[in-house]
Amino acid sequence: GTAHVKYSNQHNLNTSLARSNWDTIMLASTAWRQLSAIPTKHPLAFGVGISTFKTMFSDAVVQKVVEQKEELDWKRNLAFGAFGCFYLGGVQYALYVPFFGRLFPNAASFAAKSLRDKLRDVKGIAALNAQVFLDQCVHHPLMYFPVFYMTRELVMHSDSPDMKGALLSYKENMKEDLLALWK
């Protein structure tokens, strides 16, 4: 009697908990599958969102941990967020995905090769070197850094931005900025 009722109640509770755990696992699995599909279904929106979050978060960490500031400089953080959103998320997506994709149509197949096959692919290595050259010696000095300095100026001094001063600041820092790309 009583032992059977206890066993039956315990069995029902265990079955109910197992079903509840299984439902939770299935719900989490479905949610993960939907979330992990976002980069593929909406690559530009995903890149913009990640770039905005990443640059704002990184600046907040630098301000609080490295510079040990009591209060976050929200204007500066917004400058990084704006740059992350518009330039890193938008402009660089357009540069690296459609533009580089057209200039270097075999890049994806080269990237998928084993190291041994890559080392034998002279054309693939030449294309890789061309991509690095365009990125580091054309894109960064002529687009990335000037836009970064001007974005920072616009956000930090929105009442009266000095674009010429921003570009002069870049000119003063150019050597250090460009060398930092290779560190």
Side-chain angles (χ1 to χ4, degrees):
T2 313
H4 177 70
V5 170
K6 280 184 176 177
Y7 170 78
S8 180
N9 287 342
Q10 186 64 43
H11 176 73
N12 289 341
L13 178 63
N14 288 344
T15 303
S16 180
L17 286 173
R19 198 173 303 124
S20 173
N21 286 342
W22 180 252
D23 290 345
T24 301
I25 290 168
M26 291 307 294
L27 181 64
S29 175
T30 301
W32 176 251
R33 206 172 22 259
Q34 289 174 342
L35 281 173
S36 64
I38 291 173
T40 306
K41 288 183 179 178
H42 310 284
L44 177 59
F46 180 77
V48 167
I50 289 294
S51 295
T52 303
F53 172 78
K54 173 190 67 138
T55 52
M56 291 180 83
F57 179 77
S58 298
D59 178 59
V61 168
V62 167
Q63 285 189 49
K64 288 298 206 175
V65 177
V66 176
E67 298 170 357
Q68 298 184 340
K69 290 186 174 187
E70 289 266 334
E71 298 217 8
L72 211 56
D73 180 347
W74 287 105
K75 226 173 182 184
R76 174 180 139 176
N77 194 260
L78 182 61
F80 276 98
F83 183 72
C85 177
F86 297 111
Y87 194 83
L88 299 178
V91 172
Q92 283 191 345
Y93 175 85
L95 176 68
Y96 294 127
V97 178
F99 184 69
F100 269 38
R102 285 186 196 100
L103 278 178
F104 307 103
N106 299 321
S109 62
F110 178 78
K113 291 181 178 184
S114 69
L115 180 59
R116 175 178 284 159
D117 289 340
K118 284 178 187 171
L119 292 174
R120 289 188 215 141
D121 186 347
V122 176
K123 287 182 181 178
I125 291 172
L128 177 65
N129 288 329
Q131 289 174 63
V132 171
F133 173 80
L134 284 175
D135 184 55
Q136 300 292 298
C137 301
V138 178
H139 166 242
H140 276 87
L142 301 178
M143 291 173 60
Y144 176 92
F145 283 117
V147 171
F148 172 76
Y149 278 86
M150 289 188 295
T151 302
R152 186 180 67 178
E153 182 66 21
L154 276 171
V155 175
M156 299 294 288
H157 306 285
S158 56
D159 49 335
S160 61
D162 177 10
M163 292 300 147
K164 186 176 180 182
L167 291 174
L168 287 173
S169 180
Y170 167 53
K171 185 178 176 186
E172 291 171 14
N173 298 330
M174 182 184 273
K175 182 178 178 183
E176 183 182 342
D177 288 346
L178 294 176
L179 287 174
L181 294 172
W182 295 91
K183 289 182 181 181

